[in-house]
Each structure stands twice: as C-alpha cells, then as structure tokens.
C-alpha cells in the first residue's frame, strides 16, 4: 500500500475510535460540576486554571470568541474564592459611552452635572468586597482605559463631583474576544493589559467535539424541561448535525437552537424537516447524490492522528519513538503544523491545532461513519 494509503488507514482507525459511541448510541451526558461545560481538553484546562486562581487576589484576563462561556468562567472563579458570599457584578464595556464611563464606574454626587439630581454609587462601590467582571474590556476608549488603570493601581477613586477620595476592595476579572496584547494593537494600553493579565485564561472556539458533547448535555436538559422524549437514534442524529454546523454565537446560540428544536419536535414529523427549519439545512433527498470527500481528508486525518499521539507524549524523543520516525523528521512535521517541540503534550496550542483539524473534518464525519459501518 502507498504511503498516503497508510496515512488514510491510520486516520480512519482514529476516527473509528472517536465515533465508536455514535454507532452504539451516545452515552448519557455526564453531569457538569459547574456552569462551565468542560468536556474537552482545552476547556477542561481553562476550568482547572480558573479554579487554581480562584483563591488568589490576582487579576485575571479571559480571552476567547463570543459565546464560549467567558462570563460563566468568571462566575466560577468568584464562587470558588473567598468572595463567594459577596456580589458578582458584570458589565459590558462595549455598551458604555466614553462620556459616561467615569460616572458609571465611580459614581457621582448630586449636582455634579446637569441631570444629577441625587448621589449615585458607581460600579466599583456596588461591587465592593466582591468581584467586578469587565466583559469586552478591549472596547473601552483610551481615556477610559487611563482612568481604569489608575483605579486598578491604587484601589481608590473620586466620584464625579466628589470632594474626597474613596477606597474599595474589588477583585477585577476582565474578558475580551480580541488579542489586546498583540504588539500591533494600538487601541489598548500596554500597561493596562499587563495590569489585567496577571493570569490569562484562553478559551478556544467550539470545535465539532465540543459541540457534540455540549449539545448532548443541553438537549438532555432542555428536553426534560419541555417534557419531550426523543429516541437514542434521534439524539445521536441531533448531536451529529449540530457538530457539523458552525456556531458563531457559541454556546448561547447552540442552546437557543436546541431549545427551538425541542419546541418544534414531533415524533410523527421527519427529523430532517425540523433540522432544516431550525438549522437552515435542507432535508436529505430520498436519493442523495454520492458524497465526494474533500481531497484533503486523508492528510487531515493523518495529521489528527499524529497530534493525538503527540498529545500523549512527554517530548519529541518519545514522539519519534512511538511513531517510528527520526527526531529530525518530527521537528519538520511539527513545523508544518505550525507547532514547536515545546507544544508536544497536552498543551493549549496543540489542542487548538487539533480543534482546527476536527472542524475541517466535521463535514466529512457522516461519510466516514458510513465507511466504518457499511
């Protein structure tokens, strides 16, 4: 057999192990120990790191795409820390007009400006003793960033129109979907970035495996709340279809779609019609055209298998031994995958690369499953 044929065979065996549960029905979804669903390595790593820093007083920056659970993870940090009995106050920085930042954050006194008919506490006072969560902190104006930086440095502030400096004890957790620490980013102060990012927790976007496990968990919960009973075969089809769909809105969008599916679910109605109505996909025709796999499917499967082995190794030497390759060949293979020898093992960069490959292979999963079971 040719080299590419061997690669394809290795890839198929890996996908067979990944989809074995699908052939026999998905197992019941495990009960999450927090509101943050962490059933894949990258999300589990994020949750573990969040719990480790919960008892400290350090600032935390959570980075990830929209809808992946940044606020939920921030709440987990709050609940696990010594401020759990105090207030958790979340604010979307993108919704604050630059002219209103100071009064919104630090409050104002009566008569401080036109319309200020009474004293009003700011967010930092309301969150005193607890946690202030700054969502989308990267959207703050440069002027607002300077004022926030001063507060973080000293823990003190002046209400607008006030005559005395105030002090509060607030833990700040920030989140953003942007890479505000990038060198070419001119819209965010470098000193504020370092003040906010004592610990940085990165949550990757949802890949097909994330979606499949989270969709099963949500479907179980939502079906029970709506009194809907679906068969194991229907549940498997639902999670597979969700995994092949792109969720730009993250977990929130996924949950909304599954709730609509449960509301519209009818055992007497073809499930493909419901999928098409909710997910915007056409029902499969009675005589579907043969699926033609992507020309890159063999390469992607082989790379996914290679990274699966790399994730289980301690270093490049072990990876070379397990794959029967030279160390030099492993260096070259890692470079082609935009990885370094330091990324070998259960690291975030390796997991992110695997997630990208799984996302690319997701449209091919129905074809691969048929190939394994026919």
């Amino acid at each position: 057999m040719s080299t590419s044929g061997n690669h394809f065979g290795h890839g198929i065996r890996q996908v067979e192990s990944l989809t074995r549960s699908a052939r026999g029905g998905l197992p019941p979804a495990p009960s999450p120990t927090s509101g943050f669903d962490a059933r894949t390595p990258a999300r589990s790593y994020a949750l573990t790191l969040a719990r480790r820093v919960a008892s400290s007083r350090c600032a935390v920056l959570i980075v990830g795409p929209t809808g992946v659970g940044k606020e939920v993870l921030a709440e987990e940090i709050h609940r696990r820390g010594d401020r759990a009995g105090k207030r958790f106050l979340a604010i979307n920085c993108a919704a604050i007009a630059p002219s209103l930042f100071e009064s919104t954050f630090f409050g104002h006194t009566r008569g401080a400006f036109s319309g200020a008919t009474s004293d009003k506490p700011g967010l930092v006072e309301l969150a005193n003793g607890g946690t202030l969560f700054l969502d989308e902190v990267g959207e703050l104006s440069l002027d607002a960033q300077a004022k926030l930086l001063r507060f973080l440095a000293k823990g003190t502030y002046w209400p607008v129109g006030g005559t005395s400096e105030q002090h509060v004890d607030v833990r700040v957790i920030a989140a953003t979907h942007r890479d505000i620490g990038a060198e070419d980013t001119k819209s965010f102060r470098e000193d504020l970035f370092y003040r906010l990012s004592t610990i940085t927790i990165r949550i990757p976007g949802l890949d097909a495996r994330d979606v499949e496990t989270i969709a099963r968990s949500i479907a179980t919960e939502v079906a029970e709340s709506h009194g809907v009973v679906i068969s194991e075969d229907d549940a498997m089809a639902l999670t597979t279809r969700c995994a092949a769909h792109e969720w730009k809105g993250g977990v929130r969008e996924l949950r909304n779609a599954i709730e609509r599916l449960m509301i519209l679910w009818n055992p007497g109605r073809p499930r493909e019609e419901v999928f098409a109505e909710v997910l915007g996909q056409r029902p499969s025709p009675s005589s579907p055209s043969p699926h033609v796999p992507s020309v890159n499917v063999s390469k992607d499967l082989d790379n996914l298998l290679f990274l699966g082995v790399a994730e289980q190794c301690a270093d490049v030497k072990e990876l070379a031994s397990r794959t029967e390759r030279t160390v030099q060949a492993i260096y070259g293979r890692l470079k082609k995958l935009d990885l370094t020898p330091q990324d070998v093992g259960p690291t975030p960069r390796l997991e992110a690369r695997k997630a990208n490959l799984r996302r690319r292979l997701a449209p091919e999963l129905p074809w691969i499953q048929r190939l394994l079971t026919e």
Side-chain angles (χ1 to χ4, degrees):
M1 185 178 287
S2 67
T3 302
S4 62
N6 281 326
H7 288 175
F8 185 72
H10 287 315
I12 284 293
R13 282 192 288 276
Q14 187 202 27
V15 173
E16 181 173 9
S17 68
L18 292 174
T19 59
R20 188 175 296 116
S21 62
R23 297 200 302 274
L26 293 174
S31 300
T33 56
S34 74
F36 184 80
D37 203 309
R39 302 172 194 236
T40 54
R43 292 176 68 86
S44 178
Y45 178 81
L47 180 60
T48 299
L49 185 55
R51 288 176 172 172
R52 286 181 62 186
V53 303
S55 59
S56 71
R57 299 177 63 86
C58 67
V60 177
L61 177 65
I62 304 174
V63 181
T66 300
V68 293
K70 296 189 290 293
E71 183 173 343
V72 177
L73 195 62
E75 288 187 84
E76 179 72 8
I77 294 173
H78 174 74
R79 285 196 301 268
R80 293 269 175 168
D82 57 7
R83 298 172 183 264
K86 300 294 183 178
R87 192 170 189 177
F88 176 87
L89 190 59
I91 182 70
N92 184 351
C93 295
I96 302 176
S99 60
L100 298 178
F101 172 83
E102 199 166 9
S103 62
T104 301
F105 266 70
F106 307 129
H108 61 255
T109 60
R110 179 181 179 183
F113 50 82
S114 179
T117 57
S118 62
D119 292 351
K120 183 179 180 180
L123 296 173
V124 296
E125 182 180 345
L126 294 174
N128 190 20
T131 301
L132 180 61
F133 175 60
L134 307 180
D135 196 13
E136 296 304 346
V137 70
E139 306 308 310
L140 288 176
S141 67
L142 287 172
D143 181 61
Q145 291 175 36
K147 294 170 181 175
L148 175 60
L149 177 63
R150 184 182 185 280
F151 166 71
L152 293 175
K154 302 183 66 176
T156 59
Y157 67 97
W158 291 76
V160 178
T163 58
S164 62
E165 192 173 43
Q166 306 295 316
H167 178 273
V168 289
D169 174 25
V170 175
R171 181 178 192 174
V172 173
I173 301 175
T176 178
H177 72 282
R178 294 168 46 192
D179 187 3
I180 59 176
E183 292 182 1
D184 59 349
T185 299
K186 305 300 183 184
S187 60
F188 200 85
R189 294 178 61 113
E190 186 178 33
D191 47 4
L192 178 57
F193 168 73
Y194 288 119
R195 177 70 65 173
L196 291 171
S197 60
T198 304
I199 296 293
T200 299
I201 302 176
R202 297 186 181 276
I203 308 175
L206 299 180
D207 69 4
R209 186 167 55 149
D210 288 324
V211 172
E212 186 171 286
T213 54
I214 295 173
R216 179 56 189 262
S217 175
I218 294 174
T220 301
E221 173 194 336
V222 173
E224 183 177 350
S225 67
H226 286 277
V228 175
V229 178
I230 61 175
S231 68
E232 190 65 26
D233 183 59
D234 286 337
M236 182 185 70
L238 185 154
T239 55
T240 300
R241 184 62 64 90
C242 286
H245 193 76
E246 184 178 6
W247 302 99
K248 294 182 179 179
V251 177
R252 287 193 294 269
E253 183 189 3
L254 177 61
R255 172 176 286 276
N256 288 341
I258 292 177
E259 187 154 13
R260 289 197 297 273
L261 279 166
M262 294 298 102
I263 292 172
L264 297 173
W265 196 261
N266 185 332
R269 184 183 179 191
R271 67 190 181 201
E272 291 294 334
E273 290 185 4
V274 183
F275 291 152
E277 184 174 345
V278 174
L279 303 179
Q281 299 171 340
R282 295 180 180 178
S284 301
S286 55
S287 300
S289 300
H291 175 75
V292 180
S294 165
V295 294
N296 293 319
V297 65
S298 176
K299 181 179 178 181
D300 287 343
L301 283 169
D302 185 53
N303 284 333
L304 187 59
L305 172 64
F306 173 76
L307 294 181
V309 176
E311 188 176 39
Q312 301 172 20
C313 295
D315 51 35
V316 169
K317 186 176 180 180
E318 181 183 351
L319 178 56
S321 174
R322 292 185 62 176
T323 57
E324 299 182 350
R325 298 288 189 272
T326 65
V327 171
Q328 193 63 33
I330 296 299
Y331 273 85
R333 185 77 181 269
L334 289 170
K335 185 176 181 180
K336 287 182 179 179
L337 291 168
D338 194 26
L339 296 171
T340 68
Q342 288 70 37
D343 294 319
V344 172
T347 64
R349 276 179 56 83
L350 188 143
E351 177 58 32
R353 193 70 184 89
K354 283 178 59 184
N356 183 55
L357 288 169
R358 287 195 295 266
R359 189 179 298 110
R360 289 173 55 172
L361 284 167
E364 309 294 345
L365 282 179
W367 173 77
I368 294 171
Q369 289 176 2
R370 287 198 301 272
L371 194 64
L372 291 171
T373 57
E374 287 178 351

